[in-house]
Amino acid sequence: MISLTRENDVFTLTMDAGENRWNTTFVRDIDKALDEVEASSGPAALVTRSTDTKFFSNGLDLEWRQDPSAHPEGGDADAFGAEFMALMGRFITLPVPTICAINGHAFGAGFMVALCHDIRIMREDRGFLCANEMAIGFRIPSAELALFRHKLSGSAFYETVQFSRRWGGPDALAAGVVQHVASMEVIPELAQQIAEQSAPLAANRELFGDQKQRLFGENSVLNLPHGAAHMLKNADQFG
Amino acid sequence: MISLTRENDVFTLTMDAGENRWNTTFVRDIDKALDEVEASSGPAALVTRSTDTKFFSNGLDLEWRQDPSAHPEGGDADAFGAEFMALMGRFITLPVPTICAINGHAFGAGFMVALCHDIRIMREDRGFLCANEMAIGFRIPSAELALFRHKLSGSAFYETVQFSRRWGGPDALAAGVVQHVASMEVIPELAQQIAEQSAPLAANRELFGDQKQRLFGENSVLNLPHGAAHMLKNADQFG
Amino acid sequence: MISLTRENDVFTLTMDAGENRWNTTFVRDIDKALDEVEASSGPAALVTRSTDTKFFSNGLDLEWRQDPSAHPEGGDADAFGAEFMALMGRFITLPVPTICAINGHAFGAGFMVALCHDIRIMREDRGFLCANEMAIGFRIPSAELALFRHKLSGSAFYETVQFSRRWGGPDALAAGVVQHVASMEVIPELAQQIAEQSAPLAANRELFGDQKQRLFGENSVLNLPHGAAHMLKNADQFG
């Protein structure tokens, strides 16, 4: 479902569960992969990708959320909200450069995962980024709003959360939602290349990670009393 | 002076007072129109426009401000500041999509009104948006500064408030101050079309409006201890 | 080392110390020049430039920092951090329009100086803006982070501080890091022209300066409890 490989200084986290919908089991498997990344030392970077050619991650595992007992493979339903948010808080402050290879749709929680990476590469011809909560009548959790606000420009943020805008590759690039677009074939090599170039920044993990904490954490130097990572790490539910 | 019409799910608020300068009577008439919009239920959106082909709104009613007793039609001068600001706070958190058809100059308070809408369409060939306070030696009220900062990018904000930049259509579009530009003839149909497309978002008024409160209100999830709507709604004067 | 000249309403502050690296003597000389600017009245603007054709300012005087006693001309080493930051806080709230003519590299502290001006003009063909701390393993001071965040877009800020991006002229212009680019030959006349056009804004020094305090100072109306100027003015060290 989740695999972690390493080539030179680059770790690659591969999600291989079809639409890659989020439940507690999925969260914990990824958390373990991050343990392995953080247990390394020296130059390193992380690329996150999906094997599915249509979906990067299509959001929460709704079938499991609606009837957890019928889908025990999804894991502890009560633990999900806080653990998912905390995982996002871990991603956004991971002490190595992180590159997200968005090779398909990233909806809701999948969009959040992408935004928690340092650099995003999106498929240029297909796939959308979308926080569709308003369009389908769901409330956006506060920590998710904070994350979007920290990672998007004011206008991109507003269109995303209030009007459920679907971002295709070229529009996402123009609005700064992603930093690169590329064809399906080129994304892997581009991600590897960016990861290798930025891996030396992780030689000093403490410095690189500490600054992410200062940007997004509780006592953010950005003058924001409650940083995005702090809110993500302290959300007691997905709400 | 003010009229409100409805076509399908779209309310249109028309300002028909020449330069559409703001005094207490004008504020209260618009407030009543918003009561009618909010009294509706189901899908809805609001388009705000002006009948004047040169001015959308040219700012405060200065003649009335300087000598209210000579212009009793302007209404209670003492009540103006707080009521105008509160109306802006109501606009920015209105629980339906709001589209501003800026078919001419929008100066000072007129610029504020436009910014309190969700989506702005500006005439491409004529007219300016401008907060001209610095240029003419006036202090910008704190709630107005907060509004500009919440709705503009950092650089557009700084040019607007510190250098009184006059934004023509194409420049305003490039800087994200407006979302669309169009010819005078096309603006009405474009506004109607955007309004109809977004009206379904208002089917759940509570959700759509609650999120605007969370973005701009007192306990904004954006980590800002004093949101723009909160400041607008609690300004005790225009200063 | 530092000279201040005046032509019409425009003061020009010229740095003439080669790479223009910062030590306490350099800080105090510039502080005195700003005293002269502030002692004037009426319309005025300030242009800051360098005589070196390769460097605008190449950062801290590292040789002096590493062994102050061997370089007594650099001045009191213990006083440096707080006085440099306070000077930046003074620049960012100077009550006249400020234009920075960046005619070469601006690294670290040199980049900070440029960002503390209202308007930046950068050489189009050569030179980089860069905060290279992460790349060379140094911690970015909190007040510097706050300054970058206040003056750059979210994405430009993140690339600048977390990935030590080197900004060339065209990229800096596209990302809003600078407002203009020009050739080496054109920069002086363009700076003079912008300064003359904006000088009238300083006719009311109190108003123009007070608003900068309200944007960046301690009780910033931007809802940020600790504005950039406040942090700069109260940093007790360069750390």
Side-chain angles (χ1 to χ4, degrees), chain B residues 172-189:
Chain B
L173 181 67
V177 179
V178 302
Q179 286 68 48
H180 305 273
V181 293
S183 69
M184 190 71 175
E185 293 69 33
V186 170
I187 286 178
E189 62 192 80

Side-chain angles (χ1 to χ4, degrees), chain A residues 120-203:
Chain A
R120 282 163 290 292
I121 308 170
M122 191 174 173
R123 193 169 162 181
E124 65 193 0
D125 58 336
R126 296 187 65 180
F128 289 105
L129 305 175
C130 182
N132 56 339
E133 283 94 334
M134 279 296 115
I136 60 177
F138 283 5
R139 184 175 187 274
I140 299 183
S142 295
E144 181 178 344
L145 276 183
L147 165 63
F148 285 140
R149 187 65 193 89
H150 277 259
K151 286 288 189 136
L152 301 176
S153 76
S155 55
F157 164 71
Y158 198 62
E159 290 187 82
T160 297
V161 301
Q162 198 68 31
F163 286 85
S164 295
R165 176 162 174 173
R166 294 156 63 100
W167 297 95
D171 286 348
L173 181 67
V177 180
V178 302
Q179 284 68 47
H180 305 274
V181 294
S183 69
M184 190 71 175
E185 293 69 34
V186 169
I187 286 178
E189 62 193 80
L190 179 59
Q192 180 75 18
Q193 176 192 331
I194 293 171
E196 288 184 4
Q197 285 170 350
S198 57
L201 288 167

Side-chain angles (χ1 to χ4, degrees), chain B:
Chain B
M1 200 154 76
I2 300 292
S3 69
L4 185 74
T5 56
R6 179 168 189 167
E7 180 184 339
N8 302 323
D9 293 332
V10 179
F11 289 95
T12 297
L13 174 64
T14 301
M15 301 186 292
D16 184 25
E19 295 190 12
N20 296 315
R21 289 180 172 273
W22 294 82
N23 55 40
T24 301
T25 302
F26 204 68
V27 165
R28 291 180 180 174
D29 283 356
I30 288 192
D31 213 42
K32 277 181 208 143
L34 296 190
D35 287 344
E36 195 175 330
V37 173
E38 289 212 54
S40 70
S41 63
L46 173 69
V47 172
T48 301
R49 63 182 282 272
S50 156
T51 50
D52 197 282
T53 56
K54 185 170 175 191
F55 295 100
F56 171 75
S57 169
N58 205 16
L60 302 184
D61 184 345
L62 294 177
E63 292 186 7
W64 166 78
R65 293 268 287 174
Q66 281 153 14
D67 189 358
S69 60
H71 303 274
E73 73 282 4
D76 181 355
D78 293 336
F80 178 74
E83 289 193 21
F84 172 79
M85 290 295 190
L87 179 66
M88 296 302 101
R90 187 178 187 185
F91 258 117
I92 203 176
T93 54
L94 209 70
V96 304
T98 53
I99 294 93
C100 192
I102 312 169
N103 49 280
H105 295 308
F107 272 64
F111 193 2
M112 291 179 67
V113 174
L115 284 179
C116 285
H117 285 71
D118 294 328
I119 296 168
R120 280 164 290 292
I121 308 169
M122 191 174 172
R123 193 168 162 182
E124 66 192 0
D125 58 336
R126 296 187 65 181
F128 288 105
L129 305 176
C130 183
N132 56 339
E133 282 93 335
M134 278 296 115
I136 60 176
F138 283 4
R139 184 175 187 275
I140 299 183
S142 295
E144 181 178 343
L145 276 183
L147 165 63
F148 285 139
R149 186 66 193 86
H150 277 259
K151 286 288 188 136
L152 301 176
S153 75
S155 55
F157 165 70
Y158 198 62
E159 291 187 81
T160 298
V161 301
Q162 199 66 32
F163 286 86
S164 295
R165 176 163 174 173
R166 294 156 63 101
W167 296 95
D171 286 348
L173 181 67
V177 179
V178 302
Q179 286 68 48
H180 305 273
V181 293
S183 69
M184 190 71 175
E185 293 69 33
V186 170
I187 286 178
E189 62 192 80
L190 179 58
Q192 180 74 18
Q193 176 192 332
I194 293 172
E196 288 184 4
Q197 284 171 349
S198 58
L201 288 167
N204 189 335
R205 301 279 171 99
E206 197 174 355
L207 185 72
F208 194 74
D210 170 66
Q211 186 166 289
K212 288 191 184 179
Q213 291 288 351
R214 292 163 71 210
L215 300 188
F216 300 117
E218 179 168 19
N219 294 307
S220 164
V221 70
L222 304 184
N223 314 320
L224 306 171
H226 307 292
H230 173 69
M231 290 188 71
L232 290 162
K233 289 177 180 173
N234 291 280
D236 59 359
Q237 53 173 333
F238 196 93

Side-chain angles (χ1 to χ4, degrees), chain A:
Chain A
M1 200 154 77
I2 299 292
S3 69
L4 186 74
T5 56
R6 179 168 189 166
E7 180 185 338
N8 301 324
D9 293 332
V10 179
F11 288 95
T12 296
L13 175 64
T14 300
M15 301 186 293
D16 184 24
E19 295 190 12
N20 296 315
R21 289 181 173 273
W22 293 82
N23 55 39
T24 301
T25 302
F26 204 68
V27 165
R28 291 180 180 174
D29 283 356
I30 290 192
D31 214 41
K32 276 180 208 144
L34 296 191
D35 288 343
E36 195 175 330
V37 174
E38 289 212 55
S40 70
S41 64
L46 173 69
V47 171
T48 301
R49 63 183 282 273
S50 155
T51 51
D52 198 282
T53 57
K54 184 170 176 192
F55 295 99
F56 171 75
S57 168
N58 205 17
L60 301 185
D61 184 344
L62 294 177
E63 293 187 8
W64 165 77
R65 292 268 286 173
Q66 280 152 15
D67 189 358
S69 59
H71 303 276
E73 72 282 4
D76 180 355
D78 293 337
F80 177 73
E83 289 193 21
F84 173 79
M85 291 296 189
L87 179 65
M88 296 301 102
R90 187 179 186 186
F91 258 117
I92 203 176
T93 53
L94 209 70
V96 305
T98 53
I99 294 93
C100 192
I102 311 169
N103 48 279
H105 296 308
F107 273 64
F111 193 0
M112 291 179 68
V113 174
L115 284 179
C116 286
H117 286 69
D118 293 329
I119 296 168
R120 282 163 290 292
I121 308 170
M122 191 174 173
R123 193 169 162 181
E124 65 193 0
D125 58 336
R126 296 187 65 180
F128 289 105
L129 305 175
C130 182
N132 56 339
E133 283 94 334
M134 279 296 115
I136 60 177
F138 283 5
R139 184 175 187 274
I140 299 183
S142 295
E144 181 178 344
L145 276 183
L147 165 63
F148 285 140
R149 187 65 193 89
H150 277 259
K151 286 288 189 136
L152 301 176
S153 76
S155 55
F157 164 71
Y158 198 62
E159 290 187 82
T160 297
V161 301
Q162 198 68 31
F163 286 85
S164 295
R165 176 162 174 173
R166 294 156 63 100
W167 297 95
D171 286 348
L173 181 67
V177 180
V178 302
Q179 284 68 47
H180 305 274
V181 294
S183 69
M184 190 71 175
E185 293 69 34
V186 169
I187 286 178
E189 62 193 80
L190 179 59
Q192 180 75 18
Q193 176 192 331
I194 293 171
E196 288 184 4
Q197 285 170 350
S198 57
L201 288 167
N204 190 335
R205 299 278 171 100
E206 196 174 354
L207 185 73
F208 194 73
D210 170 66
Q211 186 166 288
K212 288 191 185 179
Q213 291 287 351
R214 292 163 72 209
L215 300 187
F216 300 119
E218 179 169 19
N219 294 307
S220 163
V221 71
L222 304 184
N223 314 320
L224 305 171
H226 307 292
H230 174 69
M231 291 188 71
L232 291 163
K233 289 177 179 172
N234 291 280
D236 59 0
Q237 53 173 334
F238 197 92

